Amino acid sequence: MKIFSTSIQALEKGIQYSGAKHKAISHNIANVDTPNFKRKEIKPTFGETYQRALEANKTDNRHREFSGSSNKAFKMDNTSYSYSHNGNNVDIDKEMSDLAENQIYYYTMIDQMSGKFQSLQNVIKGGRA
């Protein structure tokens, strides 16, 4: 028996993804001037990960198959192109933009997770404040 709905598991995956992406972006920013450094990014993308986490379970043989698995780990991908004359491919403007976007995703996931737990707390208290 599952205590929590699949939406909480999906939010958890989103938070884990955001943490992994933050680490990769921070690493890229820290090495913006390092010669021959190749930027790293997290695969799969947030949208792919969130979609897999929301997939339904097959409860009847007549139901359609659902592809993918929400248990796949994130992997760091090394991109091979060069952006700068010193062999470095980190674009600081893109990294800062990605960092801001990732922070928005993180805070959205945390806010939704908080709402889920507040709802559970309200149910446990029987609707009393």
Side-chain angles (χ1 to χ4, degrees):
M1 181 175 135
K2 290 184 179 181
I3 296 175
F4 300 114
S5 68
T6 56
S7 62
I8 290 178
Q9 293 171 350
L11 291 170
E12 179 184 8
K13 279 290 187 187
I15 291 168
Q16 290 172 352
Y17 170 81
S18 182
K21 187 167 183 177
H22 180 81
K23 185 176 180 180
I25 293 170
S26 298
H27 189 69
N28 292 341
I29 291 171
N31 288 289
V32 70
D33 292 326
T34 304
N36 297 317
F37 177 81
K38 303 300 180 199
R39 76 181 291 273
K40 296 176 177 33
E41 57 185 22
I42 300 298
K43 299 287 185 181
T45 65
F46 175 80
E48 293 167 349
T49 303
Y50 195 69
Q51 185 61 37
R52 276 199 314 265
L54 291 178
E55 288 178 352
N57 293 324
K58 184 176 174 182
T59 58
D60 191 309
N61 289 333
R62 295 173 289 182
H63 291 169
R64 292 183 58 172
E65 291 290 333
F66 295 99
S67 61
S69 169
S70 62
N71 293 328
K72 288 186 179 177
F74 305 111
K75 71 174 187 172
M76 195 170 286
D77 187 25
N78 229 354
T79 53
S80 59
Y81 62 89
S82 289
Y83 183 77
S84 179
H85 66 282
N86 67 357
N88 188 314
N89 70 349
V90 177
D91 178 3
I92 190 67
D93 293 328
K94 180 176 180 348
E95 298 300 326
M96 295 304 287
S97 173
D98 288 349
L99 184 63
E101 180 182 356
N102 189 52
Q103 287 175 336
I104 292 169
Y105 278 128
Y106 176 79
Y107 288 126
T108 301
M109 294 291 131
I110 292 296
D111 189 47
Q112 289 182 2
M113 182 77 81
S114 177
K116 291 285 184 184
F117 286 127
Q118 286 176 354
S119 295
L120 286 172
Q121 186 177 24
N122 190 30
V123 168
I124 290 170
K125 289 182 177 180
R128 295 183 298 260

